[in-house]
Amino acid sequence: REMNAGRAPVYCLYGDGTGNGVMWSGGDGDVRCWKWVGADQSKLELKRTIVPPNKRFASGMQSSHPETNALSSDDGGKIFGACGNGSAFGWDAETGQLCETFQSIDSTDYMLSIHKDAKRPDLLVTGSYQGVVSFWDTRSGEATRSIVPTDLVTSKRNRVKGFKGINAIQADAESNFLMVADGAGFLHSFHIASGLGFASSRQTDCVVEHLLPRPGHFLAACSNCPTVKKFDLKCAEVGPPLATSNFSNYAMAQDPKQTMIFVAGSNRHNPEPKKASILSPIDVFVCNSVPSFTIEATPV
């Protein structure tokens, strides 16, 4: 089976899991809303397209069309996007109308990740390229607290050099703790109410690009490693990983019933020449098993 998500690269997928049969995709182009259709909800049909707004900087210059790096939702009523122009936006999920804007102070520090859930309606969490996790009050649109996770686990003398952007943010099922993955290979967990760190660990063989909560653990899509790993709230790896068709995995989503997990990635930089390809299969796991089938995502 095949889903044409547009001519631009897709950077993120989001299935809200509320049972309304909707999946969202975002990338270099528009944000797109897809509807599960059919008696068994096995097909996706394009329902709506949203265009993220441009942003005018203090200098008067206007940003180009911003890419959408991550998507999240609360109860299905709104969809939130983390964009490459230093802002996050909230849209009405039914009409596509822009409702909220959260603007970073540093316009050059674009947003890579975002988290919103129904259990904390006044809180939005974003992660940026420069490694900053920001907590936003959705009533005022202002950032109330910011944390640089790698600075909490390294000394000033041993600060992480190079990329340490926040690749993924996700809360546990009870919305008490926040799991954060950064580009330096660290996983961090925080107590949401206090912002205090709970645990940290560093992956030496891969970088976690996306997190998906599951009962009792988090699934972690990893780049430069053809697996989806499992971690608990102590940032410890639990159980065997799930082997994937792609050498690097960047995004995950689940169906409304939360019985199927979709994993998207790329084989473009596979070190084995025979496996390197511009084709990017999407693996579909049922109940955390081996892939039950694979969708060949053909470039257009």
Side-chain angles (χ1 to χ4, degrees), residues 9-189:
V10 174
Y11 296 147
C12 53
L13 297 172
Y14 183 81
D16 56 32
T18 60
N20 62 6
V22 170
M23 181 183 285
W24 297 81
S25 66
D28 270 344
D30 305 326
V31 174
R32 298 190 172 198
C33 176
W34 305 85
K35 179 74 174 179
W36 291 97
V37 297
D40 58 353
Q41 289 194 333
S42 61
K43 297 181 180 180
L44 285 169
E45 184 178 272
L46 183 61
K47 180 182 178 182
R48 182 172 299 104
T49 298
I50 297 173
V51 180
N54 290 337
K55 174 182 172 183
R56 188 168 294 279
F57 301 123
S59 63
M61 294 183 64
Q62 184 167 287
S63 69
S64 60
H65 188 67
E67 79 272 14
T68 302
N69 295 310
L71 293 165
S72 187
S73 182
D74 42 18
D75 57 359
K78 291 180 182 177
I79 185 75
F80 295 84
C83 295
N85 59 6
S87 297
F89 303 101
W91 296 277
D92 185 287
E94 187 60 34
T95 65
Q97 181 178 359
L98 180 64
C99 302
E100 301 175 63
T101 299
F102 306 88
Q103 184 171 318
S104 173
I105 296 176
D106 185 353
S107 60
T108 64
D109 188 16
Y110 59 82
M111 294 187 183
L112 290 177
S113 51
I114 193 166
H115 175 71
K116 186 76 180 74
D117 65 69
K119 294 185 179 180
R120 295 181 179 271
D122 299 331
L123 177 67
L124 178 74
V125 187
T126 61
S128 77
Y129 181 85
Q130 294 182 15
V132 180
V133 176
S134 298
F135 295 76
W136 303 81
D137 186 329
T138 58
R139 296 164 298 183
S140 65
E142 299 293 328
T144 59
R145 186 168 70 243
S146 294
I147 300 171
V148 182
T150 54
D151 288 355
L152 301 179
V153 296
T154 57
S155 65
K156 290 184 178 180
R157 182 175 296 177
N158 297 314
R159 285 286 185 256
V160 173
K161 297 179 180 179
F163 178 66
K164 59 179 180 179
I166 306 301
N167 291 335
I169 300 174
Q170 188 59 251
D172 68 335
E174 291 75 31
S175 294
N176 292 323
F177 292 91
L178 199 69
M179 184 74 84
V180 175
D182 67 33
F186 282 102
L187 277 178
H188 315 267
S189 61

Side-chain angles (χ1 to χ4, degrees), residues 163-168 181-187 202-211 220-229 231 247-250:
F163 178 66
K164 59 179 180 179
I166 306 301
N167 291 335
D182 67 33
F186 282 102
L187 277 178
R202 192 172 193 180
Q203 310 307 305
T204 58
D205 61 341
C206 66
V207 173
V208 174
E209 302 286 352
H210 191 240
L211 294 164
C222 304
S223 60
N224 299 321
C225 181
T227 61
V228 170
K229 296 187 176 185
F231 294 93
F247 178 70
S248 290
N249 299 291
Y250 299 111

